[in-house]
Amino acid sequence: MPVSEPRLSPVAEKDIPEKALAALEPYRNAEAGGDIYAIWTTLAAHPDALRRFLVFGNHVLGRNTLSVRTRELVILRVAWLTQAEYEWLQHVRIARRAGVSDDEIRALGTPEPAGFDDTEQVLLLATDQLVGVADLDDGTWKRLRDRLGTEQLIDLVYTVGQYQTVAMAINAFRIRPEPDIAALRAELPLPAPTAP
């Protein structure tokens, strides 16, 4: 999804209601002066929904039973499948901090990502199926069940669903990355989808 002019303008911090502003306090870009990320200032146009959305998002990002590395592999895969550049670039940064290599990140933007262990491969396959058809085939389910606990299975589905929702907001509202995030385009741009 090419980034064009935003369809919804980010809300100025001074115009965000107090309760929503308090909920957004952890979502400041420390690497760029402490401003609240554009995704959240855009969604602040509906402050009550934003506060409720953040509760679920906080579970997925901060209390997930999947490892941080696994979570980031799944999120980057969702970003590539949905062509959500803001999500891709933001999570390139987070994935790097979680120890995901640049080669692994590049592989996530290919039809058949290689270089991952068996568990990661089935998690990526499951991500593809959940994004593509909102379901898992029986073979993939069995392979997941053999490797993950029940809470991890639920968190996998929640992670894909959460970040697919975020991707829809990014794409539909044309949310633009901050300059420090956009700078990652030069290093690890969002790969274009490959024609079948």
Side-chain angles (χ1 to χ4, degrees):
M1 177 65 61
V3 177
S4 60
E5 287 302 310
R7 287 177 170 165
L8 294 178
S9 296
V11 177
E13 188 170 329
K14 67 180 181 52
D15 297 327
I16 298 174
E18 188 176 321
K19 283 183 180 179
L21 193 58
L24 288 170
E25 195 55 39
Y27 297 93
R28 292 186 177 276
N29 186 347
E31 296 174 32
D35 291 336
I36 298 169
Y37 288 104
I39 177 77
W40 305 120
T41 56
T42 300
L43 297 180
H46 192 337
D48 290 338
L50 171 65
R51 285 187 305 110
R52 289 173 180 93
F53 187 67
L54 287 173
V55 171
F56 183 66
N58 285 336
H59 169 79
V60 171
L61 196 60
R63 306 225 185 276
N64 203 320
T65 57
L66 299 172
S67 71
V68 174
R69 174 186 165 82
T70 298
R71 181 197 72 205
E72 290 307 310
L73 295 177
V74 168
I75 293 169
L76 284 168
R77 188 67 176 174
V78 171
W80 178 69
L81 291 166
T82 59
Q83 288 293 286
E85 183 190 48
Y86 186 105
E87 185 169 275
W88 174 269
L89 296 173
Q90 181 70 271
H91 285 274
V92 159
R93 201 158 63 175
I94 297 168
R96 282 173 160 174
R97 287 192 291 247
V100 180
S101 73
D102 286 359
D103 286 342
E104 289 172 318
I105 292 169
R106 285 183 194 94
L108 293 167
T110 63
E112 294 181 24
F116 299 97
D117 68 29
D118 290 343
T119 298
E120 291 170 345
Q121 286 287 355
V122 74
L123 284 160
L124 296 173
L125 173 63
T127 301
D128 289 2
Q129 290 179 11
L130 288 167
V131 170
V133 296
D135 196 3
L136 297 167
D137 67 39
D138 290 340
T140 302
W141 174 254
K142 181 181 182 333
R143 290 173 64 196
L144 287 168
R145 197 70 176 133
D146 289 345
R147 291 166 171 82
L148 302 178
T150 299
E151 289 182 354
Q152 290 176 309
L153 290 165
I154 292 170
D155 278 340
L156 170 63
V157 173
Y158 283 172
T159 301
V160 172
Q162 162 76 4
Y163 281 91
Q164 193 166 10
T165 300
V166 171
M168 284 188 283
I170 287 165
N171 290 343
F173 304 145
R174 305 292 194 264
I175 298 172
R176 300 176 75 166
E178 293 82 356
D180 64 309
I181 295 169
L184 290 170
R185 287 178 183 138
E187 298 173 48
L188 285 166
L190 175 66
T194 306

